[in-house]
């Protein structure tokens, strides 16, 4: 046996057997009917998968793993992710064609448990990701792990810098003072007017906006306002 081959111990065999004997309830979601049919064909006849049609999803009594196919993370995709994860004990496996770094952070923030590249989505990988998600574990391709760690590192540095403006700064989302600034920005106030309204210095207002846009990778103030509106902050 080659050195790089993983050896399965007796306890490891027991764990593998336990996984194979565990049945997981699965729903499949995709905007393209043909792509959805392809995912269903991969999962429908798996012995450890109980497939539920999407139209019956709301009637189920038990938690399920939702397998979602997305070519890119756009507004319809994020809306569907929020719908799937809102108020439910549900885990999501995302099958993606491409993910930009901000998209990667967004789906992790939403609560996606596992990600598979679409070109690597074999039956074996899908079933493995479904079981990992069902156990509450994460599963990412190696290249995404590296990208995620690099991005989180940059965000942590931006967060540390942003903390100098006062108060706690979240790694994801927006702090209350950031929401206050963006709300006034959305009302058409300029930096000086915002500083007067909130009793901040103009430099503090600029620092808050800079730290926010750096952390969330927003390109300008209009983009920041649009993001806050879309995410329901203002």
């Amino acid at each position: 046996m080659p050195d790089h081959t993983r050896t399965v111990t007796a306890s490891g065999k027991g764990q593998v057997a336990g996984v194979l004997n565990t049945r997981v309830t699965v729903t499949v979601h995709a905007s393209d009917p043909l792509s959805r049919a392809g995912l269903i064909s991969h999962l429908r006849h798996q012995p450890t998968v109980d497939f539920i049609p999407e139209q019956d999803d709301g009637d189920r009594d038990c938690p399920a793993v939702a397998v979602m196919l997305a070519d890119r993370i756009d507004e319809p995709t994020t809306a569907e992710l929020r719908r799937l994860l809102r108020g439910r004990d549900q885990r999501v496996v995302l099958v993606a064609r491409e993910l930009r770094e901000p998209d990667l952070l967004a789906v992790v923030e939403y609560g996606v448990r596992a990600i598979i590249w679409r070109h690597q989505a074999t039956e074996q990988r899908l079933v493995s990701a479904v079981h990992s998600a069902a156990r509450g574990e994460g599963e990412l391709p190696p290249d995404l792990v590296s990208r995620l760690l690099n991005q989180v590192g940059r965000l942590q540095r931006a967060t540390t810098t942003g903390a100098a403006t006062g108060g706690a700064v979240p790694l994801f989302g927006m702090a209350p003072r950031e929401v206050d600034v963006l709300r006034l920005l959305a009302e058409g106030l300029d930096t000086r007017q915002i500083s007067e309204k909130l009793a901040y210095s103009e430099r503090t207002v600029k620092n808050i906006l800079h730290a926010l846009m750096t952390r969330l990778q927003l390109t300008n103030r209009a983009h920041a306002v649009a993001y806050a509106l879309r995410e329901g902050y203002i």
Side-chain angles (χ1 to χ4, degrees), residues 13-45:
K13 290 180 180 178
Q15 292 173 352
V16 171
V19 169
L20 294 178
N21 290 329
T22 302
R23 299 186 66 82
V24 179
T25 302
V26 172
T27 60
V28 174
H29 307 263
S31 58
D32 174 18
L34 288 178
S35 298
R36 184 172 182 273
L39 274 178
I40 290 172
S41 70
H42 277 329
L43 294 170
R44 169 164 250 151
H45 302 296

Side-chain angles (χ1 to χ4, degrees), residues 96-168:
R97 185 185 296 276
E98 63 180 53
L99 277 175
R100 300 172 305 160
E101 286 190 354
D103 298 333
L104 176 58
L105 288 170
V107 298
V108 170
E109 182 185 10
Y110 289 140
V112 171
R113 296 283 181 165
I115 300 173
I116 304 175
W117 290 125
R118 183 166 179 171
H119 67 277
Q120 296 176 344
T122 63
E123 290 186 17
Q124 182 179 5
R125 281 184 171 148
L126 280 170
V127 172
S128 173
V130 164
H131 278 280
S132 292
R135 296 192 302 270
E137 300 172 359
E139 187 165 309
L140 297 177
D143 58 319
L144 281 189
V145 173
S146 176
R147 284 169 53 186
L148 181 61
L149 290 175
N150 289 336
Q151 184 68 357
V152 168
R154 286 198 294 271
L155 285 177
Q156 287 175 329
R157 289 191 292 273
T159 298
T160 301
T161 301
T165 61

